[in-house]
Amino acid sequence: MELTGWVKNYGWGRKGINSAVAQLAMANDPDFRLNEEETYAEMWMGTHVCGVSVVKETGETLDRVLKKDLSYLFKVLSIKKALSIQVHPNKCEAERLHKERPDIYKDPNHKPELAIALTPFLALVGFMSAEDIRDYIDEFQPLSKLIGKEAVDQLHDSTSSESVKLCYEKLMKTEEPVIAKCISEIAKDYQKELKSNDLLEVFTKVNKDFPGDVGVLSLFFLNLIRLQPGQAIYLGANEIHAYLDGDCVECMACSDNVIRAGLTPKYKDVDQLLESVIFESSYKDRKEFIPYRIDEQVQVYIPPVSDFAVINVNIEHSLESYKLEIQAFGSILIVLKGSRILKLKTQQGDKEILVTRGSIVYIPVEAAPEVEFAKSEDCDEDFSGYIATSNYFRVP
């Protein structure tokens, strides 16, 4: 089944044709009309109630055709402004939050997620080592003054997650005018220090987009990660993060639960974030999530959860055919480059679909044990696509 993705126009998205989401939506849906003044932030592919995909041939929603929800939600993101400082709740927290505040926490599911860069991609992921945080606080005196002598002294006495927690809680609970004053002083008097730490450009941009926001100061607590196309990060439950810039493919458990605390006009649930977040420190060179290579054409991103995995297919145009082995789980393919004839088995028998950039296809369970990517006529371009599926690669 060929699908139409559901486009989201959040304010942090890229405008008009500069958005990868808009480009793919134009290629995917002949009825899509581009507005150069509109932001195009996300394209959802799956069965989540907030953005369910539509079957092109019939106009039915995918959840009604399948008579169930998929275990995953697949997306393309195109980011111009920072997404919020956030964590995603674990399963138990999600069930409780959904029960208590269903208007904010839309479903009872957890939301581990995987982001794979399509362009150079910038993100904040997890807390830095306590030693690095201590050094930043010492170097940027307005921040040290804001956090206070007691918390800073404890961080010096013991570079531990508890000391980091004390400092970050103090930061997040400080009144907005005090936060704004601290940011203003750093922006004015610490240009040299920001530049020497490779933070000047990011600090300036985030502060411009969200002036005086507490999330700006999270730059001195969280790992700044720079991904190149194909590189990925995985975010488990309660791991603090914020995407800052770039385009990516994202796959997650079928949920839209987000606990936010900065860099957003949306509701900030600071107390819940501080209660949920993991304060364990890590080093940024350990944050890249490495895929498992099947062969020269295929690699698989296999997270430590059963909800989803992502298969990356790259086929040289000179290759006449490639057969991808799959298991009997419903999957979704999005094509980013090139064209191929997708040959697969369905309930109605064998089927062939010409897939090109922007094509979104639901691959049914009947297609197992393999689908074929055959060479199409007049294609002199390599083929590239991503397939979201249940994580049958993971051994329990």
Side-chain angles (χ1 to χ4, degrees), residues 198-364:
D198 199 21
L199 289 176
L200 180 59
E201 185 178 346
V202 178
F203 181 94
T204 303
K205 182 180 184 299
V206 175
N207 190 35
K208 180 183 177 183
D209 291 339
F210 296 92
D213 189 285
V214 67
V216 178
L217 296 177
S218 286
L219 286 167
F220 303 113
F221 284 83
L222 308 181
N223 290 298
L224 183 62
I225 308 295
R226 301 176 190 273
L227 300 179
Q228 294 303 311
Q231 292 183 310
I233 46 177
Y234 171 74
L235 301 153
N238 304 130
E239 185 167 11
I240 194 166
H241 62 282
Y243 299 159
L244 301 181
D245 187 72
D247 303 301
C248 73
V249 167
E250 189 180 42
C251 195
M252 65 208 68
C254 189
S255 173
D256 195 31
N257 280 325
V258 183
I259 305 169
R260 300 178 178 87
L263 304 183
T264 179
K266 295 182 179 180
Y267 173 70
K268 298 177 185 178
D269 198 348
V270 174
D271 289 338
Q272 184 60 54
L273 181 135
L274 292 172
E275 180 183 323
S276 299
V277 69
I278 298 169
F279 282 95
E280 291 297 324
S281 299
S282 59
Y283 293 92
K284 65 179 179 180
D285 59 355
R286 299 176 189 170
K287 300 310 293 185
E288 184 188 348
F289 189 80
I290 306 299
Y292 174 78
R293 182 157 288 284
I294 303 292
D295 55 31
E296 289 185 6
Q297 285 73 40
V298 173
Q299 57 184 359
V300 185
Y301 299 84
I302 309 172
V305 291
S306 60
D307 306 76
F308 64 90
V310 178
I311 304 167
N312 179 213
V313 181
N314 291 288
I315 306 169
E316 292 186 6
H317 73 274
S318 58
L319 197 64
E320 286 294 325
S321 173
Y322 179 80
K323 293 181 179 180
L324 175 68
E325 293 184 11
I326 59 171
Q327 291 192 23
F329 293 88
S331 307
I332 294 177
L333 162 71
I334 182 167
V335 179
L336 298 177
K337 188 176 74 169
S339 67
R340 284 269 155 174
I341 297 171
L342 182 65
K343 298 181 178 182
L344 70 169
K345 296 181 182 70
T346 73
Q347 284 183 336
Q348 290 76 37
D350 292 349
K351 193 167 186 179
E352 295 186 3
I353 305 170
L354 176 64
V355 292
T356 60
R357 176 170 165 80
S359 292
I360 304 171
V361 179
Y362 177 76
I363 301 173

Side-chain angles (χ1 to χ4, degrees), residues 54 203 389:
V54 174
F203 181 94
T389 187

Side-chain angles (χ1 to χ4, degrees), residues 10-302:
Y10 303 134
W12 48 260
R14 293 184 180 275
K15 274 189 177 183
I17 197 63
N18 290 321
S19 167
V21 169
Q23 294 168 20
L24 290 167
M26 288 175 69
N28 170 253
D29 181 5
D31 294 328
F32 179 84
R33 295 293 176 264
L34 180 73
N35 180 350
E36 284 292 355
E37 296 306 310
E38 183 68 87
T39 55
Y40 298 94
E42 296 186 353
M43 182 161 65
W44 290 26
M45 299 163 282
T47 58
H48 193 280
V49 66
C50 293
V52 63
S53 295
V54 174
V55 178
K56 280 189 175 183
E57 191 173 355
T58 65
E60 291 181 277
T61 57
L62 183 60
D63 58 333
R64 289 190 177 183
V65 175
L66 300 180
K67 297 181 173 60
K68 65 174 185 178
D69 283 334
L70 297 169
S71 64
Y72 56 86
L73 174 58
F74 202 25
K75 297 181 182 180
V76 177
L77 273 62
S78 192
I79 302 157
K80 179 65 174 177
K81 290 171 60 176
L83 279 71
S84 50
I85 300 290
Q86 61 184 262
V87 301
H88 304 303
N90 61 37
K91 183 67 173 172
C92 290
E93 286 174 328
E95 290 173 352
R96 175 178 62 81
L97 291 169
H98 177 62
K99 185 177 180 180
E100 293 173 355
R101 289 179 282 171
D103 56 323
I104 298 171
Y105 300 103
K106 305 291 187 182
D107 57 70
N109 202 11
H110 67 164
K111 193 174 178 274
E113 65 187 29
L114 175 78
I116 307 166
L118 298 177
T119 59
F121 194 81
L122 198 61
L124 296 171
V125 183
F127 285 95
M128 289 186 283
S129 70
E131 291 82 4
D132 286 344
I133 293 170
R134 176 200 63 199
D135 292 346
Y136 270 143
I137 291 173
D138 288 347
E139 187 170 5
F140 293 90
Q141 280 300 298
L143 179 60
S144 178
K145 182 180 177 183
L146 182 150
I147 291 170
K149 187 176 187 303
E150 182 182 348
V152 173
D153 285 349
Q154 182 169 323
L155 184 60
H156 275 269
D157 293 340
S158 173
T159 47
S160 65
S161 58
E162 281 301 313
S163 300
V164 170
K165 179 180 180 181
L166 185 65
C167 290
Y168 198 67
E169 283 184 339
K170 183 67 188 298
L171 171 69
M172 297 304 286
K173 291 187 175 182
T174 298
E175 294 180 353
E176 290 182 7
V178 180
I179 293 289
K181 183 173 183 290
C182 176
I183 293 170
S184 178
E185 288 176 0
I186 291 173
K188 180 183 176 184
D189 300 328
Y190 287 81
Q191 294 270 315
K192 181 181 176 183
E193 290 80 0
L194 287 168
K195 189 172 183 179
S196 67
N197 287 288
D198 199 21
L199 289 176
L200 180 59
E201 185 178 346
V202 178
F203 181 94
T204 303
K205 182 180 184 299
V206 175
N207 190 35
K208 180 183 177 183
D209 291 339
F210 296 92
D213 189 285
V214 67
V216 178
L217 296 177
S218 286
L219 286 167
F220 303 113
F221 284 83
L222 308 181
N223 290 298
L224 183 62
I225 308 295
R226 301 176 190 273
L227 300 179
Q228 294 303 311
Q231 292 183 310
I233 46 177
Y234 171 74
L235 301 153
N238 304 130
E239 185 167 11
I240 194 166
H241 62 282
Y243 299 159
L244 301 181
D245 187 72
D247 303 301
C248 73
V249 167
E250 189 180 42
C251 195
M252 65 208 68
C254 189
S255 173
D256 195 31
N257 280 325
V258 183
I259 305 169
R260 300 178 178 87
L263 304 183
T264 179
K266 295 182 179 180
Y267 173 70
K268 298 177 185 178
D269 198 348
V270 174
D271 289 338
Q272 184 60 54
L273 181 135
L274 292 172
E275 180 183 323
S276 299
V277 69
I278 298 169
F279 282 95
E280 291 297 324
S281 299
S282 59
Y283 293 92
K284 65 179 179 180
D285 59 355
R286 299 176 189 170
K287 300 310 293 185
E288 184 188 348
F289 189 80
I290 306 299
Y292 174 78
R293 182 157 288 284
I294 303 292
D295 55 31
E296 289 185 6
Q297 285 73 40
V298 173
Q299 57 184 359
V300 185
Y301 299 84
I302 309 172

Side-chain angles (χ1 to χ4, degrees), residues 354-389:
L354 176 64
V355 292
T356 60
R357 176 170 165 80
S359 292
I360 304 171
V361 179
Y362 177 76
I363 301 173
V365 295
E366 295 82 17
E370 68 179 21
V371 295
E372 181 181 357
F373 293 86
K375 193 171 184 179
S376 61
E377 290 184 13
D378 302 323
C379 180
D380 58 358
E381 186 179 22
D382 294 346
F383 177 89
S384 178
Y386 286 91
I387 301 172
T389 187

